[in-house]
Amino acid sequence: MYLSLQKKEKKLAVIGLGYVGLPIALEFAKHFSVIGFDINQKRIDMMRNKKDPSNELESDAFDGCDISFTADLDELKQANFFIVAVPTPVDKYNVPDLTPLEKASETIGKVLKKGDYVVYESTTYPGCTEDDCLPILESISGLKLGDFKLGYSPERINPGDKVHTLSNVVKVVSGSDKEALDVIAQVYETVVKAGVHRASCIKVAEASKIVENTQRDLNIALMNELSIIFDKIGINTFEVLEAAGTKWNFLKFQPGLVGGHCIGVDPYYLTYKSSALGYESKVISASRFINDDMAKYVARKIITHVLRNSNEPKVLVKGLTFKENVSDIRNSKIVETVKELIAFNIKVDLEDPYAEAEEVLEEYGLQLSEKTNKKYDAVIITVPHKPYTELSQKDFEDITHPHALIADLKGIFKNKIPTRKYWSL
């Protein structure tokens, strides 16, 4: 299989061309003949014109790539090595929604042939690839495992990170048997210069990914709980962490809103699987509760301040994306803060130099403000976007009343705005 891909006698396909799938597809397309498949025709049209719908890649990232973008199942039939990179969200009850994964498996099942390979990259709970996806592949294709090979290689794409990219971060790979593992490892070694780690089985590879993000969630939850405690004591959490961080083995996590499509979602896949096996997670569930409640905690701080100081309070929220310097607004937790403020009849203006107004309206029913030059009773800085880090004391004075609260969730302006009441997590 590997030599056939290398000689471009066979094709590799990536199913799902979001922030994970597109970079992988383009990287492989520098070495193999690639089919980029997505069900969204609008996104396909954009990529054909060298535009990344996720706004992560520049147009020159498409240069020199042997790739065709399509939503056509007939074209997908030409592929022999399939990589699945669709999202794995949770529903409103925080239960895993496997619909994208199941639909992708159905799609591949319709074109799967003897000798083909299917590798999943979507983050999910241990056992999902073999227990949930494999039966779909077999049922629709009429083939059995062994007629085709199965693998799992968790994605490690970090949106907005230009340092830890696909090629220089070790890739975990796994396969349904030794031959599958060897071929899958060879294929990924072509594009991952940092090398691969061969997991002993698919479940281990799945678990390794879920643990990465669960560990971060746990540590951030601890910081958030400490933030609540230190706020009651009357000391600044970031100053405490700065002091504690002078010890060599201190882990430098920070408090904050945990949104996005990984850390705020993935632990629920593990607690779901745990519950299905008869064990109710305690530590992981507690961490999720703390982190999920932080948006309302922030809202309560703002509400208390502005209602004490104004009959018609106005609040400016600077930053709607889930992290700095990216355009991704999926599962942005500040939205919960905004909706809580609105529920108290507080006027809220939203602005973000990276977010797309149309996408914000479609996803959350909220309008980005074109002008934000009013006098506000509170300003919430949610993420350290580059333009925000360059703001001065005068910038805040120009848009706020003297009694205003500057809620700096990431501690960017600690000790830099003495003329206004300052609060951070």
Side-chain angles (χ1 to χ4, degrees):
M1 172 63 76
Y2 176 69
L3 289 177
S4 296
L5 287 171
Q6 199 174 40
K7 295 176 181 178
K8 298 191 177 182
E9 296 169 351
K10 293 185 176 180
K11 291 177 179 285
L12 180 149
V14 177
I15 291 83
L17 299 174
Y19 82 98
V20 172
L22 181 58
I24 292 169
L26 293 177
E27 199 65 39
F28 275 121
K30 296 174 183 176
H31 306 272
F32 308 138
S33 182
V34 174
I35 298 169
F37 183 88
D38 199 286
I39 59 173
N40 189 323
Q41 187 61 50
K42 181 180 177 182
R43 294 174 65 88
I44 291 296
D45 294 339
M46 292 176 69
M47 289 179 280
R48 285 174 176 170
N49 289 305
K50 296 186 176 183
K51 181 169 177 57
D52 176 9
S54 301
N55 295 316
E56 285 285 310
L57 305 173
E58 301 295 332
S59 60
D60 59 6
F62 294 76
D63 294 343
C65 293
D66 182 358
I67 186 168
S68 62
F69 297 104
T70 185
D72 187 349
L73 203 61
D74 285 336
E75 191 168 348
L76 190 61
K77 289 178 181 177
Q78 302 172 31
N80 302 95
F81 193 105
F82 301 90
I83 295 175
V84 180
V86 297
T88 46
V90 293
D91 64 18
K92 63 181 180 179
Y93 303 109
N94 293 321
V95 174
D97 179 5
L98 297 181
T99 303
L101 211 50
E102 291 168 346
K103 293 294 185 183
S105 299
E106 290 172 9
T107 296
I108 295 172
K110 294 174 184 177
V111 300
L112 196 61
K113 304 169 292 297
K114 284 190 175 183
D116 286 355
Y117 279 67
V118 183
V119 179
Y120 289 87
E121 290 215 2
S122 306
T123 305
T124 188
Y125 50 77
C128 182
T129 300
E130 294 159 298
D131 298 341
D132 298 285
C133 299
L134 175 58
I136 296 174
L137 294 173
E138 291 182 328
S139 174
I140 294 180
S141 69
L143 302 173
K144 294 294 181 184
L145 184 62
D147 296 329
F148 62 93
K149 302 292 186 180
L150 187 68
Y152 183 82
S153 179
E155 59 89 4
R156 282 179 165 172
I157 299 289
N158 186 25
D161 192 338
K162 305 303 181 185
V163 177
H164 303 100
T165 59
L166 173 66
S167 64
N168 59 25
V169 175
V170 174
K171 197 82 160 68
V172 176
V173 296
S174 63
S176 51
D177 57 32
K178 185 180 184 306
E179 181 184 358
L181 177 60
D182 288 342
V183 171
I184 292 168
Q186 279 184 304
V187 170
Y188 277 102
E189 282 170 340
T190 304
V191 297
V192 181
K193 304 309 177 189
V196 303
H197 174 86
R198 299 185 180 208
S200 61
C201 65
I202 289 174
K203 287 185 179 68
V204 167
E206 289 170 320
S208 72
K209 173 58 179 179
I210 213 83
V211 164
E212 290 175 25
N213 287 334
T214 300
Q215 183 189 63
R216 285 186 57 78
D217 195 47
L218 289 170
N219 281 285
I220 296 170
L222 173 61
M223 297 301 107
N224 279 333
E225 188 164 63
L226 290 175
S227 175
I228 295 170
I229 295 169
F230 294 152
D231 186 49
K232 292 180 179 297
I233 294 172
I235 54 178
N236 184 277
T237 306
F238 288 98
E239 291 181 1
V240 173
L241 297 178
E242 184 179 0
T246 57
K247 190 179 181 188
W248 75 91
N249 62 350
F250 183 78
L251 302 178
K252 297 185 178 181
F253 286 90
Q254 295 183 342
L257 302 184
V258 182
H261 30 74
C262 291
I263 301 175
V265 172
D266 296 350
Y268 285 121
Y269 277 75
L270 196 52
T271 57
Y272 170 82
K273 184 65 175 180
S274 170
S275 179
L277 294 171
Y279 176 78
E280 297 300 326
S281 164
K282 299 171 180 63
V283 175
I284 299 172
S285 296
S287 298
R288 281 282 75 233
F289 176 82
I290 291 169
N291 286 341
D292 270 353
D293 191 57
M294 288 306 290
K296 289 187 177 180
Y297 171 72
V298 171
R300 291 191 290 269
K301 297 292 292 189
I302 303 301
I303 291 166
T304 300
H305 177 83
V306 300
L307 291 184
R308 284 175 178 170
N309 289 281
S310 176
N311 293 324
E312 296 182 355
K314 294 185 288 291
V315 174
L316 173 63
V317 174
K318 297 179 75 65
L320 206 66
T321 63
F322 84 93
K323 66 180 289 189
E324 66 273 15
N325 305 322
V326 300
S327 63
D328 201 333
I329 61 168
R330 286 177 294 172
N331 195 29
S332 176
K333 302 305 285 187
I334 194 62
V335 171
E336 294 181 22
T337 303
V338 169
K339 291 186 175 180
E340 193 77 3
L341 296 176
I342 293 173
F344 278 78
N345 294 318
I346 296 170
K347 167 66 176 174
V348 182
D349 285 344
L350 309 170
E351 66 96 22
D352 192 302
Y354 294 93
E356 298 287 342
E358 183 180 340
E359 187 178 356
V360 171
L361 182 61
E362 181 180 344
E363 184 79 12
Y364 299 115
L366 298 172
Q367 295 271 7
L368 288 182
S369 303
E370 294 183 6
K371 294 183 179 180
T372 57
N373 54 0
K374 302 174 184 178
K375 288 290 186 179
Y376 294 98
D377 301 287
V379 176
I380 309 174
I381 307 100
T382 67
V383 288
H385 284 327
K386 189 175 185 300
Y388 295 166
T389 62
E390 298 169 351
L391 294 173
S392 66
Q393 175 180 306
K394 185 175 185 304
D395 290 323
F396 287 100
E397 291 174 343
D398 288 345
I399 61 171
T400 58
H401 294 292
H403 64 252
L405 173 69
I406 307 301
D408 178 14
L409 303 190
K410 300 302 290 184
I412 312 167
F413 300 103
K414 180 167 59 72
N415 300 324
K416 294 180 181 178
I417 316 174
T419 59
R420 295 293 185 267
K421 181 176 175 60
Y422 178 86
W423 175 78
S424 70
L425 288 176

